[in-house]
Amino acid sequence: MPAAAHALLPSSTGLSALRVAAKTPLADGVCGLTLVAPDGGRLPDWTPGAHLDVLLPGDVTRQYSLCGDRWNPTSYRVAVLRELAGRGGSAYVHDTLSIGDLVGVGGPRNNFPLVPAAHYVFVAGGIGITPILPMIQHAELLGTPWTLLYGGRTRSSMAFLPELAAYGDRVRIRPQDEYGLLDLASTLESMPAGAKVYCCGPGPLLDAIEASCSTLAPGTLRTERFVPKEQGPPVRSTPFAVELERSGVTVTVAPGTSVLEAMAAAGVPVLSSCRQGTCGTCETAVLDGVPDHRDSLLTDAERAAGRSMFVCVSRSCGDRLVLDA
């Protein structure tokens, strides 16, 4: 992105421009970026689990977890994995983006918040370590006991190992080529009462830990996905109406069209980013009706409550929804 790109960002994007202050290799296929305001000023505060929306060439927006020092008010740190099967965004970051360049950034926003607990069990796979790092730092600050199980393909592909070494045997590093798949069973069996489990990583790891935690109390496990969870077919395959109460507009959402697209066509745009139900940008309050939740963010309890939905992917179970939009 050219140095003057921030001046070209339309106000409707909800993005600002940050400057790349440092670019550092962190592991095989992983680089770290330090981002600062062009004027060196203070950046918005954030909490453990938060991410940034980063606009890359080709109108590609990617979400990167903040993994630096949240008490440093003038810089953000993110880590970017080179995605060999991606659409070129990560390749641009690794190969082209340079110190001094400006990037469009939205947020921070947090769909993976750390809630109080008597003990934390952190499980990370690969680049999924990024949101876990500030959670560990926060647990340390509070004096809350914690453990980390961290896996990756190889030791050389796992970022932040030097930082984690300072925590001693509370951290178990388990590269797959040395240990095989992560031993989730023993980790969960030894978990003390009142503990909460936070896990981030590739889909197979998240599927496995969800299965392993299925008999635990609701709310014990919290996960974050970088790619959307596999979904079955929609509840209904016929059109439904969405009443946008504040706008005084009712739209018809046809099969194959998202609620987000129908709203935009009616002149009621909603800020969005991933359009896959993973980033949380387009969350909209539900005033009436039953949503067909198709996101990868809400817990089972939040889905049952039906108070909000992500209009980029979720739909309606009935003929009509009323949204606060």
Side-chain angles (χ1 to χ4, degrees):
M1 183 173 286
H6 66 290
L8 304 178
L9 292 172
S11 59
S12 61
T13 63
L15 298 172
S16 58
L18 297 184
R19 180 173 60 84
V20 179
K23 182 178 179 181
T24 310
L26 298 175
D28 292 347
V30 181
C31 75
L33 299 178
T34 300
L35 304 174
V36 300
D39 63 0
R42 185 182 182 96
L43 298 172
D45 294 337
W46 57 281
T47 54
H51 70 262
L52 293 178
D53 300 319
V54 179
L55 180 66
L56 299 172
D59 288 330
V60 173
T61 302
R62 289 290 179 265
Q63 289 72 46
Y64 298 118
S65 296
L66 287 163
C67 57
D69 179 7
R70 59 182 289 244
W71 304 111
N72 180 342
T74 60
S75 71
Y76 292 147
R77 182 177 71 170
V78 298
V80 180
L81 172 68
R82 183 188 289 274
E83 297 280 2
L84 298 179
R87 290 187 289 165
S90 65
Y92 173 83
V93 171
H94 278 257
D95 299 335
T96 305
L97 191 67
S98 301
I99 293 174
D101 286 352
L102 294 174
V103 292
V105 170
R109 61 176 53 87
N110 198 341
N111 304 308
F112 193 40
L114 186 69
V115 300
H119 186 105
Y120 294 109
V121 175
F122 299 118
V123 180
I127 199 65
I129 189 62
T130 50
I132 301 298
L133 281 179
M135 293 184 180
I136 290 173
Q137 294 160 4
H138 191 70
E140 283 285 282
L141 182 66
L142 295 178
T144 304
W146 60 271
T147 60
L148 168 66
L149 178 63
Y150 178 22
R153 296 186 310 278
T154 63
R155 195 174 293 269
S156 64
S157 72
M158 299 170 68
F160 304 113
L161 294 186
E163 290 185 32
L164 292 168
Y167 296 117
D169 60 7
R170 287 180 290 175
V171 175
R172 287 180 293 155
I173 305 299
R174 296 292 186 266
Q176 187 173 349
D177 64 339
E178 298 176 29
Y179 294 89
L181 297 177
L182 291 179
D183 185 358
L184 300 177
S186 64
T187 298
L188 298 173
E189 286 169 2
S190 60
M191 187 171 67
K196 291 194 181 296
V197 182
Y198 278 78
C199 181
C200 185
L205 171 61
L206 299 181
D207 292 341
I209 202 165
E210 286 177 355
S212 297
C213 291
S214 61
T215 60
L216 300 180
T220 298
L221 172 66
R222 185 78 188 216
T223 63
E224 181 173 55
R225 292 179 179 266
F226 292 132
V227 295
K229 189 175 183 178
E230 289 291 330
Q231 303 285 347
V235 169
R236 58 185 294 137
S237 58
T238 54
F240 57 92
V242 176
E243 181 182 336
L244 309 173
E245 185 173 84
R246 282 190 287 111
S247 303
V249 174
T250 297
V251 299
T252 298
V253 181
T257 299
S258 70
V259 176
L260 178 69
E261 292 166 338
M263 293 170 69
V268 187
V270 175
L271 187 64
S272 65
S273 177
C274 73
R275 301 200 174 205
Q276 295 180 311
T278 59
C279 75
T281 307
C282 68
E283 186 171 14
T284 304
V286 177
L287 303 178
D288 194 22
V290 179
D292 174 13
H293 295 292
R294 305 181 60 75
D295 63 273
S296 302
L297 289 162
L298 295 177
T299 64
D300 289 343
E302 290 167 336
R303 289 168 182 260
R307 297 190 184 97
S308 69
M309 64 184 286
F310 298 96
V311 293
C312 66
V313 291
S314 295
R315 306 183 68 78
S316 178
C317 292
D319 292 335
R320 176 177 167 272
L321 278 175
V322 182
L323 302 182
D324 185 17

Short mmCIF file of all heavy atoms in Angstrom, two decimals, residues 72-114:
data_model
loop_
_atom_site.label_atom_id
_atom_site.label_comp_id
_atom_site.label_asym_id
_atom_site.label_seq_id
_atom_site.Cartn_x
_atom_site.Cartn_y
_atom_site.Cartn_z
N ASN A 72 1.30 -0.84 26.31
CA ASN A 72 2.03 0.12 25.48
C ASN A 72 1.00 0.86 24.63
O ASN A 72 0.40 0.26 23.73
CB ASN A 72 3.03 -0.62 24.58
CG ASN A 72 3.82 0.33 23.70
OD1 ASN A 72 3.44 1.48 23.48
ND2 ASN A 72 4.93 -0.16 23.15
N PRO A 73 0.76 2.14 24.88
CA PRO A 73 -0.34 2.84 24.21
C PRO A 73 -0.03 3.32 22.80
O PRO A 73 -0.90 3.86 22.13
CB PRO A 73 -0.60 4.03 25.13
CG PRO A 73 0.75 4.35 25.68
CD PRO A 73 1.45 3.02 25.86
N THR A 74 1.22 3.13 22.32
CA THR A 74 1.59 3.73 21.04
C THR A 74 1.90 2.70 19.95
O THR A 74 2.27 3.10 18.84
CB THR A 74 2.80 4.66 21.21
OG1 THR A 74 3.91 3.91 21.72
CG2 THR A 74 2.47 5.80 22.16
N SER A 75 1.78 1.41 20.23
CA SER A 75 2.07 0.44 19.18
C SER A 75 1.23 -0.81 19.36
O SER A 75 0.84 -1.17 20.48
CB SER A 75 3.56 0.07 19.15
OG SER A 75 3.91 -0.72 20.27
N TYR A 76 0.97 -1.48 18.24
CA TYR A 76 0.32 -2.78 18.21
C TYR A 76 1.31 -3.78 17.62
O TYR A 76 2.12 -3.43 16.75
CB TYR A 76 -0.91 -2.77 17.31
CG TYR A 76 -2.08 -1.96 17.77
CD1 TYR A 76 -2.90 -1.34 16.83
CD2 TYR A 76 -2.40 -1.82 19.11
CE1 TYR A 76 -4.02 -0.60 17.23
CE2 TYR A 76 -3.51 -1.08 19.52
CZ TYR A 76 -4.31 -0.47 18.57
OH TYR A 76 -5.40 0.25 18.97
N ARG A 77 1.20 -5.05 18.05
CA ARG A 77 1.98 -6.11 17.42
C ARG A 77 1.03 -7.21 16.95
O ARG A 77 0.13 -7.61 17.68
CB ARG A 77 2.99 -6.72 18.40
CG ARG A 77 3.86 -7.82 17.75
CD ARG A 77 4.90 -8.38 18.71
NE ARG A 77 4.33 -9.19 19.77
CZ ARG A 77 5.05 -9.94 20.60
NH1 ARG A 77 6.37 -9.96 20.50
NH2 ARG A 77 4.45 -10.64 21.55
N VAL A 78 1.24 -7.66 15.72
CA VAL A 78 0.52 -8.81 15.18
C VAL A 78 1.53 -9.75 14.55
O VAL A 78 2.67 -9.35 14.25
CB VAL A 78 -0.54 -8.39 14.13
CG1 VAL A 78 -1.61 -7.49 14.73
CG2 VAL A 78 0.11 -7.73 12.92
N ALA A 79 1.12 -11.00 14.36
CA ALA A 79 1.97 -11.98 13.69
C ALA A 79 1.19 -12.56 12.52
O ALA A 79 0.00 -12.88 12.65
CB ALA A 79 2.39 -13.09 14.66
N VAL A 80 1.84 -12.70 11.38
CA VAL A 80 1.18 -13.12 10.15
C VAL A 80 1.81 -14.41 9.64
O VAL A 80 3.02 -14.47 9.38
CB VAL A 80 1.28 -12.02 9.06
CG1 VAL A 80 0.59 -12.47 7.78
CG2 VAL A 80 0.67 -10.72 9.58
N LEU A 81 0.98 -15.44 9.50
CA LEU A 81 1.41 -16.72 8.94
C LEU A 81 1.30 -16.67 7.42
O LEU A 81 0.27 -16.25 6.88
CB LEU A 81 0.53 -17.84 9.49
CG LEU A 81 0.71 -19.23 8.87
CD1 LEU A 81 2.07 -19.81 9.22
CD2 LEU A 81 -0.42 -20.16 9.33
N ARG A 82 2.33 -17.11 6.74
CA ARG A 82 2.26 -17.22 5.28
C ARG A 82 1.31 -18.37 4.92
O ARG A 82 1.59 -19.53 5.24
CB ARG A 82 3.63 -17.47 4.67
CG ARG A 82 3.61 -17.52 3.13
CD ARG A 82 4.93 -17.96 2.58
NE ARG A 82 5.95 -16.96 2.72
CZ ARG A 82 6.18 -15.97 1.85
NH1 ARG A 82 5.41 -15.86 0.78
NH2 ARG A 82 7.16 -15.11 2.05
N GLU A 83 0.19 -18.03 4.29
CA GLU A 83 -0.81 -19.03 3.90
C GLU A 83 -0.53 -19.45 2.47
O GLU A 83 -0.80 -18.71 1.53
CB GLU A 83 -2.22 -18.44 4.02
CG GLU A 83 -2.61 -18.04 5.43
CD GLU A 83 -3.05 -19.22 6.27
OE1 GLU A 83 -3.00 -20.37 5.76
OE2 GLU A 83 -3.42 -19.01 7.43
N LEU A 84 -0.01 -20.66 2.29
CA LEU A 84 0.37 -21.11 0.95
C LEU A 84 -0.84 -21.25 0.04
O LEU A 84 -0.72 -21.10 -1.18
CB LEU A 84 1.13 -22.43 1.05
CG LEU A 84 2.44 -22.37 1.84
CD1 LEU A 84 3.10 -23.75 1.88
CD2 LEU A 84 3.38 -21.33 1.24
N ALA A 85 -2.01 -21.55 0.61
CA ALA A 85 -3.21 -21.72 -0.21
C ALA A 85 -4.12 -20.49 -0.11
O ALA A 85 -5.30 -20.57 -0.46
CB ALA A 85 -3.98 -22.97 0.24
N GLY A 86 -3.59 -19.37 0.34
CA GLY A 86 -4.40 -18.17 0.52
C GLY A 86 -4.59 -17.40 -0.77
O GLY A 86 -4.20 -17.84 -1.86
N ARG A 87 -5.18 -16.20 -0.63
CA ARG A 87 -5.48 -15.36 -1.80
C ARG A 87 -4.43 -14.29 -2.03
O ARG A 87 -4.66 -13.33 -2.77
CB ARG A 87 -6.86 -14.72 -1.62
CG ARG A 87 -8.01 -15.70 -1.72
CD ARG A 87 -9.34 -14.99 -1.69
NE ARG A 87 -9.64 -14.44 -0.37
CZ ARG A 87 -10.59 -13.53 -0.15
NH1 ARG A 87 -11.29 -13.04 -1.16
NH2 ARG A 87 -10.81 -13.10 1.08
N GLY A 88 -3.27 -14.41 -1.40
CA GLY A 88 -2.18 -13.49 -1.66
C GLY A 88 -1.96 -12.45 -0.59
O GLY A 88 -0.96 -11.72 -0.65
N GLY A 89 -2.86 -12.35 0.38
CA GLY A 89 -2.71 -11.33 1.42
C GLY A 89 -1.49 -11.56 2.28
O GLY A 89 -0.67 -10.64 2.49
N SER A 90 -1.30 -12.79 2.75
CA SER A 90 -0.16 -13.05 3.61
C SER A 90 1.15 -12.99 2.82
O SER A 90 2.19 -12.57 3.36
CB SER A 90 -0.30 -14.41 4.30
OG SER A 90 -0.28 -15.47 3.37
N ALA A 91 1.10 -13.41 1.56
CA ALA A 91 2.30 -13.31 0.72
C ALA A 91 2.71 -11.85 0.55
O ALA A 91 3.91 -11.51 0.57
CB ALA A 91 2.06 -13.95 -0.64
N TYR A 92 1.73 -10.96 0.41
CA TYR A 92 2.03 -9.54 0.30
C TYR A 92 2.71 -9.04 1.57
O TYR A 92 3.70 -8.29 1.51
CB TYR A 92 0.75 -8.75 0.04
CG TYR A 92 0.94 -7.26 0.07
CD1 TYR A 92 1.40 -6.57 -1.05
CD2 TYR A 92 0.68 -6.53 1.23
CE1 TYR A 92 1.60 -5.20 -1.02
CE2 TYR A 92 0.88 -5.15 1.26
CZ TYR A 92 1.34 -4.50 0.15
OH TYR A 92 1.54 -3.15 0.19
N VAL A 93 2.19 -9.44 2.73
CA VAL A 93 2.78 -9.01 3.99
C VAL A 93 4.23 -9.50 4.08
O VAL A 93 5.14 -8.75 4.45
CB VAL A 93 1.96 -9.54 5.19
CG1 VAL A 93 2.70 -9.28 6.50
CG2 VAL A 93 0.60 -8.86 5.23
N HIS A 94 4.45 -10.77 3.75
CA HIS A 94 5.79 -11.34 3.88
C HIS A 94 6.77 -10.79 2.84
O HIS A 94 7.94 -10.53 3.17
CB HIS A 94 5.71 -12.86 3.76
CG HIS A 94 5.32 -13.55 5.02
ND1 HIS A 94 6.20 -14.20 5.83
CD2 HIS A 94 4.10 -13.67 5.62
CE1 HIS A 94 5.58 -14.69 6.89
NE2 HIS A 94 4.29 -14.40 6.77
N ASP A 95 6.31 -10.61 1.60
CA ASP A 95 7.24 -10.34 0.50
C ASP A 95 7.33 -8.87 0.10
O ASP A 95 8.36 -8.44 -0.43
CB ASP A 95 6.84 -11.15 -0.74
CG ASP A 95 6.88 -12.65 -0.48
OD1 ASP A 95 7.62 -13.07 0.42
OD2 ASP A 95 6.14 -13.37 -1.17
N THR A 96 6.27 -8.09 0.34
CA THR A 96 6.21 -6.75 -0.22
C THR A 96 6.10 -5.66 0.84
O THR A 96 6.76 -4.62 0.73
CB THR A 96 5.01 -6.63 -1.19
OG1 THR A 96 5.12 -7.65 -2.19
CG2 THR A 96 4.97 -5.27 -1.86
N LEU A 97 5.27 -5.85 1.83
CA LEU A 97 5.07 -4.83 2.85
C LEU A 97 6.39 -4.50 3.53
O LEU A 97 7.13 -5.40 3.94
CB LEU A 97 4.04 -5.30 3.87
CG LEU A 97 3.53 -4.26 4.86
CD1 LEU A 97 2.72 -3.19 4.14
CD2 LEU A 97 2.69 -4.93 5.94
N SER A 98 6.67 -3.20 3.65
CA SER A 98 7.97 -2.77 4.18
C SER A 98 7.80 -1.79 5.33
O SER A 98 6.74 -1.17 5.50
CB SER A 98 8.79 -2.10 3.07
OG SER A 98 9.00 -2.97 1.98
N ILE A 99 8.86 -1.65 6.09
CA ILE A 99 8.87 -0.66 7.17
C ILE A 99 8.63 0.72 6.56
O ILE A 99 9.23 1.10 5.55
CB ILE A 99 10.21 -0.70 7.92
CG1 ILE A 99 10.35 -2.03 8.67
CG2 ILE A 99 10.33 0.47 8.89
CD1 ILE A 99 11.69 -2.23 9.32
N GLY A 100 7.72 1.47 7.17
CA GLY A 100 7.35 2.80 6.68
C GLY A 100 6.08 2.81 5.87
O GLY A 100 5.46 3.86 5.71
N ASP A 101 5.65 1.64 5.36
CA ASP A 101 4.39 1.57 4.61
C ASP A 101 3.20 1.77 5.54
O ASP A 101 3.27 1.51 6.74
CB ASP A 101 4.25 0.21 3.92
CG ASP A 101 5.15 0.06 2.72
OD1 ASP A 101 5.77 1.05 2.31
OD2 ASP A 101 5.24 -1.07 2.19
N LEU A 102 2.10 2.21 4.96
CA LEU A 102 0.86 2.38 5.69
C LEU A 102 -0.12 1.28 5.30
O LEU A 102 -0.19 0.88 4.14
CB LEU A 102 0.23 3.75 5.39
CG LEU A 102 1.01 4.97 5.87
CD1 LEU A 102 0.34 6.24 5.37
CD2 LEU A 102 1.12 4.99 7.38
N VAL A 103 -0.87 0.81 6.29
CA VAL A 103 -1.91 -0.19 6.03
C VAL A 103 -3.21 0.29 6.66
O VAL A 103 -3.22 0.95 7.70
CB VAL A 103 -1.53 -1.58 6.60
CG1 VAL A 103 -0.38 -2.17 5.84
CG2 VAL A 103 -1.22 -1.49 8.09
N GLY A 104 -4.32 -0.02 6.00
CA GLY A 104 -5.62 0.28 6.56
C GLY A 104 -5.96 -0.71 7.66
O GLY A 104 -5.82 -1.91 7.49
N VAL A 105 -6.42 -0.18 8.79
CA VAL A 105 -6.68 -1.02 9.96
C VAL A 105 -8.02 -0.64 10.57
O VAL A 105 -8.33 0.55 10.71
CB VAL A 105 -5.55 -0.85 11.00
CG1 VAL A 105 -5.93 -1.52 12.32
CG2 VAL A 105 -4.26 -1.43 10.47
N GLY A 106 -8.81 -1.63 10.94
CA GLY A 106 -10.05 -1.42 11.67
C GLY A 106 -9.97 -2.11 13.02
O GLY A 106 -9.28 -3.11 13.18
N GLY A 107 -10.69 -1.59 13.99
CA GLY A 107 -10.67 -2.17 15.33
C GLY A 107 -9.81 -1.35 16.27
O GLY A 107 -9.54 -0.18 15.99
N PRO A 108 -9.34 -1.98 17.36
CA PRO A 108 -9.48 -3.39 17.70
C PRO A 108 -10.90 -3.76 18.15
O PRO A 108 -11.65 -2.93 18.63
CB PRO A 108 -8.48 -3.58 18.85
CG PRO A 108 -8.07 -2.23 19.28
CD PRO A 108 -8.59 -1.23 18.36
N ARG A 109 -11.23 -5.06 17.98
CA ARG A 109 -12.48 -5.61 18.48
C ARG A 109 -12.21 -6.98 19.07
O ARG A 109 -11.24 -7.64 18.69
CB ARG A 109 -13.55 -5.67 17.40
CG ARG A 109 -13.23 -6.52 16.20
CD ARG A 109 -14.42 -6.57 15.24
NE ARG A 109 -14.88 -5.26 14.87
CZ ARG A 109 -14.38 -4.54 13.86
NH1 ARG A 109 -13.42 -5.03 13.12
NH2 ARG A 109 -14.84 -3.35 13.58
N ASN A 110 -13.07 -7.40 19.99
CA ASN A 110 -12.78 -8.62 20.73
C ASN A 110 -13.99 -9.56 20.73
O ASN A 110 -15.01 -9.26 21.34
CB ASN A 110 -12.38 -8.28 22.17
CG ASN A 110 -11.66 -9.44 22.85
OD1 ASN A 110 -11.76 -10.58 22.42
ND2 ASN A 110 -10.94 -9.14 23.91
N ASN A 111 -13.86 -10.69 20.05
CA ASN A 111 -14.86 -11.75 20.09
C ASN A 111 -14.38 -12.95 20.89
O ASN A 111 -15.04 -13.99 20.91
CB ASN A 111 -15.17 -12.21 18.66
CG ASN A 111 -15.62 -11.08 17.78
OD1 ASN A 111 -16.52 -10.34 18.13
ND2 ASN A 111 -14.96 -10.92 16.63
N PHE A 112 -13.24 -12.80 21.56
CA PHE A 112 -12.61 -13.92 22.27
C PHE A 112 -12.13 -13.42 23.64
O PHE A 112 -10.97 -13.57 24.00
CB PHE A 112 -11.44 -14.41 21.41
CG PHE A 112 -10.83 -15.73 21.81
CD1 PHE A 112 -11.59 -16.80 22.22
CD2 PHE A 112 -9.45 -15.89 21.71
CE1 PHE A 112 -11.00 -18.01 22.56
CE2 PHE A 112 -8.85 -17.09 22.04
CZ PHE A 112 -9.63 -18.15 22.46
N PRO A 113 -13.04 -12.80 24.41
CA PRO A 113 -12.60 -12.16 25.65
C PRO A 113 -12.23 -13.15 26.73
O PRO A 113 -12.80 -14.25 26.83
CB PRO A 113 -13.83 -11.33 26.05
CG PRO A 113 -14.98 -12.11 25.48
CD PRO A 113 -14.49 -12.66 24.17
N LEU A 114 -11.29 -12.76 27.55
CA LEU A 114 -10.88 -13.56 28.70
C LEU A 114 -11.77 -13.21 29.88
O LEU A 114 -11.79 -12.06 30.32
CB LEU A 114 -9.42 -13.27 29.03
CG LEU A 114 -8.77 -14.14 30.11
CD1 LEU A 114 -8.61 -15.57 29.62
CD2 LEU A 114 -7.42 -13.56 30.51
#
